Amino acid sequence: MPVISAPYDFNQGDLFIDLESICGHLLYLKCEAFNFAGSIKLKAAKRMVESAERDGILGPDSVLVESSSGNLGVALGMIAASKGYRFLCVTDSRCNLSTRLLMEALGNEVHIVADQDSNGGFLGTRIEYVRALCASDDRYVWLSQYTNEGNWWAHYCTTGPEIARQFPELDVLFVGAGTTGTLMGCARYFRQWHRPVRIVAVDSVGSVAFGGEPGRRMIPGLGMSMRPPLLDESCVDEVIRVEERDTIRMCRRMARRGFLFGGSTGTVVSAATDWLARHDTRAVTAVAIAPDLGERYLDTVYQTNWLQDLYGDQVLDAADTAQADT
C-alpha cells in the first residue's frame, strides 16, 4: 500500500476494462480517473506546474490562472491547494456544477464567462479574460494548457508507456481530442514503437479542431472552438467526429452495465465501437482512453430533463426512458 504526503503523488495508471460485452467488439478501456483530481488532467497539470517551478516562473506570491472546461481546473486547483498557491479557473456555463463546486471546495476561485466567441464557443472569450488578468498584474501565472509543451510531454512519458506495457501488440488507439495533449503525447510515443499503431483521434461534431463548421456543443471535455496549437495532424491516422446524442447514448449504455463514465469517455467509446464495426477486427488489439468518471455529469449526461430539454425526447432509447430519472 502506498503512503503519500501530497495528493498529486498518487495516480493509478494500469487499470483497463474489457468492454466486449458492452460494445460487441473486443475493446480495452484505459481508466484514468483514479487519482485525487479524478481525471487524466492530473498528469499534464503536474508536469506544467513542476516545469514552471523549475524555470522560476512560479513563486510564493504567484497566482495560478487557467482557462478550463473543468477537469484541468480541478487538477491545478488540487495541486495549488497542496503547494500553497492561489488558483483562479476561468470557465464557462458548460462547466458542470459539481466541478465548479469541487474547485471552490479546494479554496480556488472560479470565474464564469458568459459571452461566446466568433466560433460559437467560449474558449476565445476565456482566453481573452486570462490575458487581461495577466496584463493587469504580474503575479498571475498562466501555464496555458493549449500551448504548453508539458501538456503532451506528460502523456509521452506516462500514458503511452502505460498502454504499451499492458498491450505490447497494440494495433489501434482511440484518443479524444481537446487541447490534444493526450493525443499528441500518445501519438508521438507510438510513432517510435516497435510496430505500427493506428492513431484515431476522436472529436465532437461542432468542434473546429480538425476543421469543419462550428456548432453547438453542450458537453464539456472534448472539442475546441479553435485549432489546437499543439496539434500535429501528421501524427494522426484518422479522425472520427461523434454527435453528442451518440455520446449520451453510449454513456448511459455503459452505466446500465455498472460503469459510470463521463462525456468524453462516451464520445471515445462510441467512436471506437463504430470503427470496430466497420473493420475486420478478429486479430486487432484496440485500446481507448477514458479521461474521467461520470459523477461530475450526474446533472447533465445522466439527468433526463436536461437531456430532453436540449436534445429532444428521442435522445433516449427505450431502455433509458423506462429508467428515466426525475
Side-chain angles (χ1 to χ4, degrees), residues 119-139:
N119 282 324
F122 294 93
L123 180 56
T125 309
R126 293 189 339 222
I127 290 176
E128 286 179 10
Y129 186 87
V130 171
R131 285 176 173 157
L133 275 180
C134 293
S136 70
D137 191 331
D138 59 11
R139 290 178 300 172

mmCIF file of all heavy atoms in Angstrom, residues 119-139:
data_model
loop_
_atom_site.group_PDB
_atom_site.id
_atom_site.type_symbol
_atom_site.label_atom_id
_atom_site.label_comp_id
_atom_site.label_asym_id
_atom_site.label_seq_id
_atom_site.Cartn_x
_atom_site.Cartn_y
_atom_site.Cartn_z
ATOM 1 N N ASN A 119 -16.611 31.685 -33.025
ATOM 2 C CA ASN A 119 -16.920 30.335 -33.490
ATOM 3 C C ASN A 119 -18.078 29.710 -32.724
ATOM 4 O O ASN A 119 -18.334 28.508 -32.856
ATOM 5 C CB ASN A 119 -15.682 29.431 -33.378
ATOM 6 C CG ASN A 119 -14.702 29.666 -34.504
ATOM 7 O OD1 ASN A 119 -15.107 29.926 -35.632
ATOM 8 N ND2 ASN A 119 -13.417 29.583 -34.211
ATOM 9 N N GLY A 120 -18.762 30.518 -31.930
ATOM 10 C CA GLY A 120 -19.904 30.000 -31.202
ATOM 11 C C GLY A 120 -19.543 29.255 -29.937
ATOM 12 O O GLY A 120 -20.408 28.665 -29.281
ATOM 13 N N GLY A 121 -18.252 29.272 -29.555
ATOM 14 C CA GLY A 121 -17.823 28.650 -28.303
ATOM 15 C C GLY A 121 -17.467 29.718 -27.287
ATOM 16 O O GLY A 121 -17.731 30.910 -27.469
ATOM 17 N N PHE A 122 -16.832 29.287 -26.215
ATOM 18 C CA PHE A 122 -16.454 30.219 -25.158
ATOM 19 C C PHE A 122 -14.939 30.334 -24.991
ATOM 20 O O PHE A 122 -14.460 31.154 -24.215
ATOM 21 C CB PHE A 122 -17.056 29.769 -23.821
ATOM 22 C CG PHE A 122 -18.556 29.836 -23.781
ATOM 23 C CD1 PHE A 122 -19.318 28.732 -24.103
ATOM 24 C CD2 PHE A 122 -19.201 31.007 -23.422
ATOM 25 C CE1 PHE A 122 -20.709 28.778 -24.063
ATOM 26 C CE2 PHE A 122 -20.591 31.073 -23.378
ATOM 27 C CZ PHE A 122 -21.341 29.956 -23.702
ATOM 28 N N LEU A 123 -14.196 29.492 -25.720
ATOM 29 C CA LEU A 123 -12.755 29.427 -25.494
ATOM 30 C C LEU A 123 -12.069 30.763 -25.754
ATOM 31 O O LEU A 123 -11.242 31.218 -24.959
ATOM 32 C CB LEU A 123 -12.138 28.338 -26.369
ATOM 33 C CG LEU A 123 -10.619 28.157 -26.237
ATOM 34 C CD1 LEU A 123 -10.226 27.893 -24.794
ATOM 35 C CD2 LEU A 123 -10.146 27.023 -27.135
ATOM 36 N N GLY A 124 -12.400 31.404 -26.864
ATOM 37 C CA GLY A 124 -11.771 32.683 -27.170
ATOM 38 C C GLY A 124 -12.029 33.722 -26.099
ATOM 39 O O GLY A 124 -11.135 34.486 -25.715
ATOM 40 N N THR A 125 -13.246 33.756 -25.594
ATOM 41 C CA THR A 125 -13.598 34.698 -24.532
ATOM 42 C C THR A 125 -12.841 34.386 -23.250
ATOM 43 O O THR A 125 -12.363 35.294 -22.554
ATOM 44 C CB THR A 125 -15.113 34.648 -24.265
ATOM 45 O OG1 THR A 125 -15.821 34.788 -25.493
ATOM 46 C CG2 THR A 125 -15.535 35.738 -23.306
ATOM 47 N N ARG A 126 -12.725 33.108 -22.924
ATOM 48 C CA ARG A 126 -11.981 32.722 -21.717
ATOM 49 C C ARG A 126 -10.524 33.139 -21.822
ATOM 50 O O ARG A 126 -9.943 33.684 -20.872
ATOM 51 C CB ARG A 126 -12.086 31.205 -21.505
ATOM 52 C CG ARG A 126 -13.476 30.745 -21.155
ATOM 53 C CD ARG A 126 -13.598 29.304 -20.717
ATOM 54 N NE ARG A 126 -12.550 28.390 -21.093
ATOM 55 C CZ ARG A 126 -12.776 27.141 -21.528
ATOM 56 N NH1 ARG A 126 -14.029 26.708 -21.694
ATOM 57 N NH2 ARG A 126 -11.779 26.347 -21.811
ATOM 58 N N ILE A 127 -9.930 32.900 -22.983
ATOM 59 C CA ILE A 127 -8.516 33.244 -23.150
ATOM 60 C C ILE A 127 -8.302 34.753 -23.086
ATOM 61 O O ILE A 127 -7.322 35.237 -22.490
ATOM 62 C CB ILE A 127 -7.982 32.650 -24.471
ATOM 63 C CG1 ILE A 127 -7.896 31.119 -24.347
ATOM 64 C CG2 ILE A 127 -6.612 33.231 -24.816
ATOM 65 C CD1 ILE A 127 -7.482 30.428 -25.624
ATOM 66 N N GLU A 128 -9.194 35.511 -23.679
ATOM 67 C CA GLU A 128 -9.093 36.975 -23.588
ATOM 68 C C GLU A 128 -9.127 37.440 -22.144
ATOM 69 O O GLU A 128 -8.379 38.349 -21.747
ATOM 70 C CB GLU A 128 -10.236 37.628 -24.372
ATOM 71 C CG GLU A 128 -10.074 37.572 -25.886
ATOM 72 C CD GLU A 128 -11.262 38.209 -26.596
ATOM 73 O OE1 GLU A 128 -12.093 38.843 -25.910
ATOM 74 O OE2 GLU A 128 -11.358 38.059 -27.827
ATOM 75 N N TYR A 129 -9.988 36.835 -21.350
ATOM 76 C CA TYR A 129 -10.089 37.214 -19.938
ATOM 77 C C TYR A 129 -8.792 36.881 -19.196
ATOM 78 O O TYR A 129 -8.298 37.683 -18.393
ATOM 79 C CB TYR A 129 -11.269 36.497 -19.283
ATOM 80 C CG TYR A 129 -11.538 36.943 -17.864
ATOM 81 C CD1 TYR A 129 -12.351 38.044 -17.611
ATOM 82 C CD2 TYR A 129 -10.985 36.269 -16.781
ATOM 83 C CE1 TYR A 129 -12.598 38.470 -16.315
ATOM 84 C CE2 TYR A 129 -11.220 36.683 -15.477
ATOM 85 C CZ TYR A 129 -12.024 37.784 -15.251
ATOM 86 O OH TYR A 129 -12.258 38.207 -13.967
ATOM 87 N N VAL A 130 -8.221 35.709 -19.468
ATOM 88 C CA VAL A 130 -6.965 35.318 -18.825
ATOM 89 C C VAL A 130 -5.841 36.282 -19.205
ATOM 90 O O VAL A 130 -5.055 36.723 -18.354
ATOM 91 C CB VAL A 130 -6.594 33.869 -19.206
ATOM 92 C CG1 VAL A 130 -5.178 33.534 -18.723
ATOM 93 C CG2 VAL A 130 -7.592 32.885 -18.619
ATOM 94 N N ARG A 131 -5.752 36.615 -20.473
ATOM 95 C CA ARG A 131 -4.703 37.542 -20.926
ATOM 96 C C ARG A 131 -4.844 38.906 -20.273
ATOM 97 O O ARG A 131 -3.846 39.537 -19.903
ATOM 98 C CB ARG A 131 -4.750 37.662 -22.450
ATOM 99 C CG ARG A 131 -4.188 36.438 -23.160
ATOM 100 C CD ARG A 131 -4.341 36.538 -24.657
ATOM 101 N NE ARG A 131 -3.649 35.451 -25.339
ATOM 102 C CZ ARG A 131 -3.946 35.013 -26.549
ATOM 103 N NH1 ARG A 131 -4.949 35.584 -27.232
ATOM 104 N NH2 ARG A 131 -3.274 34.017 -27.104
ATOM 105 N N ALA A 132 -6.080 39.381 -20.119
ATOM 106 C CA ALA A 132 -6.297 40.673 -19.469
ATOM 107 C C ALA A 132 -5.864 40.624 -18.011
ATOM 108 O O ALA A 132 -5.263 41.586 -17.497
ATOM 109 C CB ALA A 132 -7.774 41.065 -19.579
ATOM 110 N N LEU A 133 -6.143 39.522 -17.331
ATOM 111 C CA LEU A 133 -5.704 39.373 -15.944
ATOM 112 C C LEU A 133 -4.183 39.429 -15.836
ATOM 113 O O LEU A 133 -3.628 40.131 -14.991
ATOM 114 C CB LEU A 133 -6.192 38.038 -15.377
ATOM 115 C CG LEU A 133 -7.594 37.949 -14.797
ATOM 116 C CD1 LEU A 133 -7.851 36.523 -14.310
ATOM 117 C CD2 LEU A 133 -7.775 38.924 -13.642
ATOM 118 N N CYS A 134 -3.516 38.680 -16.698
ATOM 119 C CA CYS A 134 -2.053 38.628 -16.648
ATOM 120 C C CYS A 134 -1.440 39.983 -16.978
ATOM 121 O O CYS A 134 -0.394 40.350 -16.419
ATOM 122 C CB CYS A 134 -1.533 37.559 -17.615
ATOM 123 S SG CYS A 134 -1.974 35.866 -17.149
ATOM 124 N N ALA A 135 -2.074 40.743 -17.866
ATOM 125 C CA ALA A 135 -1.573 42.076 -18.200
ATOM 126 C C ALA A 135 -1.792 43.056 -17.054
ATOM 127 O O ALA A 135 -1.040 44.036 -16.910
ATOM 128 C CB ALA A 135 -2.258 42.585 -19.461
ATOM 129 N N SER A 136 -2.785 42.787 -16.219
ATOM 130 C CA SER A 136 -3.120 43.716 -15.140
ATOM 131 C C SER A 136 -2.272 43.532 -13.898
ATOM 132 O O SER A 136 -2.135 44.449 -13.087
ATOM 133 C CB SER A 136 -4.599 43.560 -14.755
ATOM 134 O OG SER A 136 -4.817 42.304 -14.104
ATOM 135 N N ASP A 137 -1.675 42.344 -13.732
ATOM 136 C CA ASP A 137 -0.935 42.048 -12.500
ATOM 137 C C ASP A 137 0.053 40.928 -12.786
ATOM 138 O O ASP A 137 -0.343 39.837 -13.180
ATOM 139 C CB ASP A 137 -1.919 41.625 -11.406
ATOM 140 C CG ASP A 137 -1.290 41.546 -10.023
ATOM 141 O OD1 ASP A 137 -0.076 41.270 -9.939
ATOM 142 O OD2 ASP A 137 -2.022 41.739 -9.039
ATOM 143 N N ASP A 138 1.336 41.208 -12.579
ATOM 144 C CA ASP A 138 2.343 40.199 -12.932
ATOM 145 C C ASP A 138 2.416 39.046 -11.939
ATOM 146 O O ASP A 138 3.207 38.113 -12.124
ATOM 147 C CB ASP A 138 3.722 40.849 -13.102
ATOM 148 C CG ASP A 138 4.198 41.562 -11.845
ATOM 149 O OD1 ASP A 138 3.575 41.388 -10.775
ATOM 150 O OD2 ASP A 138 5.202 42.301 -11.933
ATOM 151 N N ARG A 139 1.594 39.074 -10.916
ATOM 152 C CA ARG A 139 1.536 37.908 -10.024
ATOM 153 C C ARG A 139 0.796 36.739 -10.673
ATOM 154 O O ARG A 139 0.997 35.586 -10.290
ATOM 155 C CB ARG A 139 0.840 38.275 -8.705
ATOM 156 C CG ARG A 139 1.647 39.202 -7.795
ATOM 157 C CD ARG A 139 0.841 39.533 -6.558
ATOM 158 N NE ARG A 139 -0.415 40.214 -6.905
ATOM 159 C CZ ARG A 139 -1.389 40.483 -6.023
ATOM 160 N NH1 ARG A 139 -1.251 40.122 -4.761
ATOM 161 N NH2 ARG A 139 -2.481 41.110 -6.423
#
